[in-house]
């Protein structure tokens, strides 16, 4: 019975916030296998991940990433008259991950032949020919982190540059010199193109930190942070819709509570009194 597993057909659907994405959800029995695999191999990769990589890792996430942005920015502003930011991401990242390169990277850490067979089976049967991983599978999150861990170590080990933060394919670099960031941008572009067969998004840019850093759901200055406007707008619209349903006795009050709690949990990490008041006014308007 060894090596008889074959992936079942996944279900697919689109999400439209914050942008249109095709989500591929593995069948339940396949999700069990994915979770079991990740549970066993993720600790091996965790030992190699750098501290400034935050996406899809236990004990990290958007809030920890935001706190790191705040601390790094304040450190730079104390030392320098002007702080510059290089903000970069990968164009169509998940759809651009090369299977052969990914598997060769994984083999440097995983030696068990049974695990490698299963990883190969998942990657090769992901619905893409040679390039691309589906958004929606737990294994895709881990493998995507493993892929760009190569960039992390290129930055920190080869270039010796520690003022660097990555959240999946979104990266921030801090410097007091625009010229230094121009050189680093060229180095990053050369590395991801030659070694990982990726391309930087044309929206990659260098700008003064005084404009505010839009990263991981917050707009951050050295003095304060604000929630991202489009995120607030999206949640307020959802709250209004749920409130109307609850008031009309066709909605679930518990769902409304959960959305409110999640929203407030995000807002407590930034200056948000005005936003909280507006959201409260929205809800009050539907229940008075």
């Amino acid at each position: 019975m060894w090596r008889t597993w074959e992936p079942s057909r996944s279900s697919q659907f689109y999400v439209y916030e914050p942008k249109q994405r095709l989500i591929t959800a593995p069948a339940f029995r396949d999700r069990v296998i994915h979770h079991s695999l990740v549970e066993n191999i993720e600790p091996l990769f965790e030992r190699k991940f750098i501290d400034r990589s935050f996406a899809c890792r236990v004990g990290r996430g958007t809030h920890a990433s935001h706190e790191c942005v705040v601390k790094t920015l304040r450190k730079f502003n104390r030392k320098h008259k002007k702080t510059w930011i290089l903000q970069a991401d990968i164009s169509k990242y998940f759809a651009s991950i090369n299977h052969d390169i990914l598997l060769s990277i994984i083999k440097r850490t995983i030696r068990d032949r049974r695990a490698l067979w299963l990883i190969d089976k998942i990657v090769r049967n992901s619905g893409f020919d040679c390039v691309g991983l589906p958004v929606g599978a737990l294994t895709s999150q881990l493998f995507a982190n493993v892929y760009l861990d190569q960039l992390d170590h290129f930055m920190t080990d080869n270039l010796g540059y520690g003022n660097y933060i990555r959240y999946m394919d979104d990266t921030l670099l801090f410097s007091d010199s625009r010229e230094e960031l121009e050189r680093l941008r060229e180095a990053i572009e050369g590395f991801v193109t030659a070694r990982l067969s990726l391309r930087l998004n044309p929206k990659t840019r260098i700008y003064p930190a005084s404009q505010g850093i839009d990263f991981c759901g917050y707009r951050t200055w050295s003095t304060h942070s604000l929630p991202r406007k489009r995120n607030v707008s999206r949640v307020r619209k959802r709250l209004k819709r749920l409130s109307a349903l609850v008031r009309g006795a066709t909605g679930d009050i518990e769902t409304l509570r959960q959305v409110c709690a999640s929203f407030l949990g995000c807002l407590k990490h930034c200056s948000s009194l005005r936003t909280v008041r507006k959201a409260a006014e929205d809800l009050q308007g539907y229940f008075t």
Side-chain angles (χ1 to χ4, degrees), residues 46-113:
E46 274 290 337
R47 297 172 190 170
K48 297 185 174 184
F49 289 160
I50 67 170
D51 288 340
R52 287 177 167 253
S53 168
F54 290 92
C56 305
R57 296 178 63 190
V58 176
R60 293 179 179 267
T62 56
H63 297 153
S65 176
H66 171 243
E67 290 174 7
C68 187
V69 171
V70 171
K71 290 179 181 178
T72 306
L73 180 56
R74 288 177 178 172
K75 180 188 74 173
F76 261 83
N77 282 356
R78 284 195 300 267
K79 293 182 178 180
H80 307 290
K81 292 182 178 179
K82 191 169 187 177
T83 301
W84 291 89
I85 304 296
L86 166 57
Q87 188 159 5
D89 67 6
I90 303 298
S91 179
K92 300 177 181 178
Y93 178 49
F94 275 77
S96 302
I97 295 174
N98 183 285
H99 293 176
D100 289 335
I101 297 174
L102 171 63
L103 292 170
S104 69
I105 293 170
I106 290 173
K107 286 176 183 178
R108 298 174 200 165
T109 301
I110 305 298
R111 301 298 176 85
D112 186 274
R113 287 182 296 172

Side-chain angles (χ1 to χ4, degrees), residues 115-131:
L116 289 173
W117 175 86
L118 184 56
I119 293 167
D120 187 276
K121 195 77 169 177
I122 290 171
V123 171
R124 301 291 188 190
N125 290 272
S126 58
F128 297 84
D129 291 331
C130 302
V131 176

